[in-house]
Amino acid sequence: MNACTKAGTHSIHISEKIKGHAPLRYYTVYAGPLNKILLIGHDGVIQTVPVKNGNYLNYGNSPKGDFIIKPNLKLVLDFDMIDQYGNKVTVNSPGTLFNLKKVNEGGSTSTVTSSIISYTMQKVNDHYQMTISVNKIGTYQIDKNEYMSEPIRFIIIPGEADPNLSFCTLKDYTSAPTLIQGETIYYDCYLRDQYGNEIDTQTFTDNS
């Protein structure tokens, strides 16, 4: 009898020459140990078209394949966990399989605290879903591991300007100036989002 690699309950007719009939027998094949983690979708959209990198999804929303989100949004990633034959595997504590890092200038990575980045992992139907929250701008990644052949990167960009954390100053003055009528004054405005991430510095003019 040929080996069966697909998990599930199967039936087979076994020939018994002495009795002259072929009774129906059932047997169960269980999934093997975890062999690969596949990214199959994000934000609830599951994709099933394979791509060259071995995953189902050519991930990301930028030309480089990175996910780009703002601090007040959540990144939701969907994964299949399979054995060597493609059977879906049930994994206890799946969140421990992933390691999230900050990507520094030059490409090195460093650990970050849970106050900056956090994630939860849950099983949804027949796959696993990771929800990531980050409040500081920068580039981050889910490290590759023995089950993933490449990292998954995501870029956090500043959110909307928060008036409570943004401010303006008079340019080139350290104290209240005495102005001449018609003189042009300049303001440097420092814009930050609700988490203190710097958005931009803009200069405005006004005539006294």
Side-chain angles (χ1 to χ4, degrees):
M1 183 173 64
N2 293 329
C4 181
T5 59
K6 185 177 181 180
T9 300
H10 307 271
S11 62
I12 186 173
H13 285 279
I14 301 176
S15 177
E16 297 184 4
K17 294 182 179 179
I18 297 176
K19 296 183 179 180
H21 65 279
L24 187 63
R25 305 295 188 194
Y26 292 92
Y27 63 96
T28 301
V29 177
Y30 297 96
L34 179 63
N35 180 260
K36 185 176 292 186
I37 297 175
L38 300 176
L39 177 66
I40 60 170
H42 63 93
D43 301 309
V45 180
I46 306 301
Q47 312 244 341
T48 57
V49 180
V51 293
K52 291 182 179 179
N53 65 3
N55 293 338
Y56 286 121
L57 181 70
N58 189 8
Y59 66 85
N61 51 15
S62 77
K64 294 182 178 180
D66 298 319
F67 293 102
I68 300 177
I69 59 174
K70 294 182 178 181
N72 58 332
L73 301 178
K74 297 181 185 297
L75 175 61
V76 180
L77 302 178
D78 296 273
F79 295 93
D80 263 349
M81 301 195 183
I82 61 174
D83 66 12
Q84 63 176 318
Y85 300 109
N87 298 305
K88 296 188 178 184
V89 176
T90 297
V91 177
N92 295 323
S93 302
T96 60
L97 299 173
F98 298 90
N99 193 12
L100 278 63
K101 297 281 190 68
K102 188 179 189 306
V103 181
N104 306 310
E105 292 186 13
S108 64
T109 61
S110 57
T111 57
V112 287
T113 64
S114 58
S115 63
I116 295 176
I117 184 170
S118 62
Y119 70 94
T120 59
M121 198 87 185
Q122 62 179 341
K123 191 169 186 179
V124 178
N125 298 324
D126 61 349
H127 68 277
Y128 292 86
Q129 192 172 80
M130 173 186 283
T131 302
I132 303 171
S133 300
V134 188
N135 58 37
K136 291 297 181 183
I137 61 174
T139 300
Y140 301 83
Q141 74 177 29
I142 302 173
D143 278 349
K144 65 180 181 179
N145 54 38
E146 60 181 307
Y147 308 114
M148 294 171 52
S149 60
E150 61 183 60
I152 299 173
R153 288 196 172 186
F154 47 100
I155 299 171
I156 309 302
I157 61 176
E160 304 301 324
D162 186 333
N164 295 318
L165 296 178
S166 302
F167 62 94
C168 296
T169 61
L170 284 172
K171 186 177 180 66
D172 299 326
Y173 289 99
T174 58
S175 60
T178 300
L179 302 175
I180 302 174
Q181 185 175 2
E183 183 179 355
T184 300
I185 56 177
Y186 297 88
Y187 298 92
D188 282 337
C189 291
Y190 302 88
L191 306 180
R192 288 175 168 77
D193 66 17
Q194 69 184 74
Y195 297 103
N197 296 306
E198 185 174 335
I199 300 172
D200 196 6
T201 300
Q202 300 180 11
T203 299
F204 299 91
T205 61
D206 191 14
N207 292 323
S208 62

